[in-house]
Structure formats: C-alpha cells, structure tokens
Amino acid sequence: MSPELRTLPIRAIDCLKLCYKLHERGESITTSVMKERLQFLEPTGQLSDATVTQLFKWLAERGYVSYTPYHGVELTGQGQLMATELVRRHRLLELFLVQIMGFPLDEVDGEAEQIEHAISDEFVERMDTLLGHPTADPHGDPIPNTTGGVVVPTSQPLSTVSPGQQVIVQRVSDDNSDLLRYLTSLGLIPGALVQVEAVAPYGGVYTVRVGAQTHAIGDTVTQSVLVRPATPNPVNEAASPSKLPGERS
C-alpha cells in the first residue's frame, strides 16, 4: 500500500473502494447510497447524510474525487489509482481466503476488511503469484492487475435468460452475506452450470437445475446472479485445459 494510502482514515479508504465498486457497476455515487454502504461496514454507529457529505468534501479537497452538491462524486485520476490499488488488495485477499484457507463465500468480504490494511505490498504480490495471477475474485468480480487493467467477461442477469438455455454463473453480488449463503446452498456460485427449466408468468419465478438439484428462485436471486452462455467451441474446449474460476486464460 502506498505511503499516502496508509495515512488515510479507514472510512476514507472504504469510501474510495465503494466509489470504485459503484462506478464499476454503473451506479451513481450519491450521498444516500454511500451512507447505506458505509453504514453496513460500520454497524455499531449511525451515519448521517451530513457526515457523508463532509467525507466527500474532505476527499475532494485532497484531489481524490470531484464533488458536485446534490449529485454526488466521481473519482479523479488520482482517486482512481488509489481505489484500484485498494480493490486489487481486497479481491486478492478474498480469493486467498476461499482457495487457500477454506473460508465460505459469505464470510470473505468481512474477513478481508479486517486484515487488508495490515498486510504489506510484498504479501499482496506473493498472494497474486501463489494464486496464479487470477483475474477474478471468488464472487466473480474482476481483480485489477498491477497496472490497473481488468478482464471483464460479457455477462447478463440470470433474470434475462429464457427457458431451455444453459448458462454458467459468472458473477454474484457480494452486497448481502445472507443472500450469498443462500446462493451457496443452491450451488449458484461462479463456475456453476445452470439449466433454466421454466419461468412462471407474472411472478418472475424461475425454475433452474444446478447439478442434480432443481430449485425455484425469485427476482431477488435472478437479478443478483450474472451469467454467460454455456456454448464453448467444441474444438477449442478439447484443445484447452480446463480453468478454475479466476484463472487466466
């Protein structure tokens, strides 16, 4: 972590990471949205809109964000560099915790939050090497490389898939640990093969088959799971060794 980042308050660091994540998803970075996300990270306290507004102004004064009252913020070039470094560290830690230490998917975000500020840059790079320079974390979110580049495969919400189609889970939302536990219990995790059996009219209930199990799932689930078509080229598939989720091609 750069010396400049090590001097920032934890709340400011969390705010920069959340700015990156919201921008990555195409969401506006408003005061109300940021308050909700920061409150989740600080469950014992009560954040106000005024507190978040002051945080935005503080970051803007230091050149990390551009702040427009009543419209929210955007990362500046400097802020983007800082946020990218933080997100890389966090997502590599999440993958390390799952693949090497055996943590469940719903616990790794909180664990990574606890230790990411304490580890050295050398530790981060050794994790990257040990994991094979992965391009995605265990939730399927892209891991920035050392220059800030990311690999973002094309995907779509499961809610847009038609009956009869086979898809592979590409990415799942990590915003809600309860939802992650539920997705894990269904087998709806990155890399899983899913067959859409039926979609109920009006209610939006999907019947899907994951392995040997069939499940009925609602809108909250189908909109939180991003998938890609399960239609690889047979020749290429035979010629290429299989890859674990997160490994480079």
Side-chain angles (χ1 to χ4, degrees):
M1 187 181 293
S2 66
E4 186 177 1
L5 274 175
R6 291 192 183 279
T7 66
L8 293 181
I10 298 298
R11 182 179 288 171
I13 286 176
D14 288 338
C15 185
L16 287 173
K17 283 192 303 181
L18 288 168
C19 284
Y20 181 103
K21 189 173 182 177
L22 291 166
H23 176 75
E24 180 181 53
R25 296 179 177 183
E27 299 178 31
S28 298
I29 310 171
T30 63
T31 301
S32 59
V33 169
M34 185 59 67
K35 182 180 74 170
E36 179 183 350
R37 300 302 179 90
L38 286 173
Q39 186 68 72
F40 181 78
L41 297 175
E42 304 177 30
T44 58
Q46 288 297 321
L47 292 174
S48 65
D49 287 350
T51 301
V52 176
T53 297
Q54 287 304 312
L55 177 59
F56 283 168
K57 290 179 178 179
W58 190 89
L59 290 169
E61 288 169 359
R62 286 153 182 79
Y64 301 130
V65 301
S66 58
Y67 170 61
T68 304
Y70 308 109
H71 289 84
V73 299
E74 293 183 2
L75 289 168
T76 62
Q78 180 187 3
Q80 181 71 27
L81 287 174
M82 303 278 271
T84 300
E85 181 182 348
L86 292 167
V87 168
R88 169 176 166 77
R89 173 178 296 252
H90 184 85
R91 291 179 178 175
L92 279 170
L93 258 176
E94 288 185 319
L95 191 61
F96 179 83
L97 289 168
V98 169
Q99 289 196 357
I100 306 301
M101 301 192 71
F103 275 83
L105 200 59
D106 60 284
E107 294 182 11
V108 293
D109 184 59
E111 288 292 334
E113 287 284 349
Q114 294 296 318
I115 60 179
E116 64 189 1
H117 309 295
I119 61 176
S120 67
D121 293 342
E122 178 66 18
F123 190 98
V124 173
E125 297 316 312
R126 289 193 178 212
M127 276 196 305
D128 187 33
T129 300
L130 178 64
L131 294 167
H133 307 292
T135 58
D137 76 3
H139 307 104
D141 293 326
I143 299 175
N145 61 26
T146 53
T147 62
V150 294
V151 176
V152 185
T154 301
S155 60
Q156 65 188 91
L158 180 55
S159 58
T160 65
V161 177
S162 300
Q165 286 187 283
Q166 271 196 338
V167 292
I168 295 172
V169 177
Q170 178 66 39
R171 196 170 178 179
V172 294
S173 173
D174 62 352
D175 291 338
N176 185 317
S177 58
D178 290 334
L179 177 58
L180 272 175
R181 274 191 293 275
Y182 181 60
L183 292 176
T184 300
S185 73
L186 299 179
L188 285 171
I189 58 175
L193 181 66
V194 180
Q195 171 80 30
V196 178
E197 301 284 356
V199 181
Y202 309 113
V205 175
Y206 271 56
T207 302
V208 299
R209 188 173 74 246
V210 185
Q213 301 294 317
T214 300
H215 310 284
I217 55 178
D219 283 345
T220 299
V221 172
T222 58
Q223 291 173 12
S224 299
V225 176
L226 297 180
V227 298
R228 67 179 188 271
T231 54
N233 184 307
V235 175
N236 290 340
E237 185 178 35
S240 303
S242 60
K243 301 289 193 304
L244 292 173
E247 290 186 331
R248 289 186 185 277
S249 300

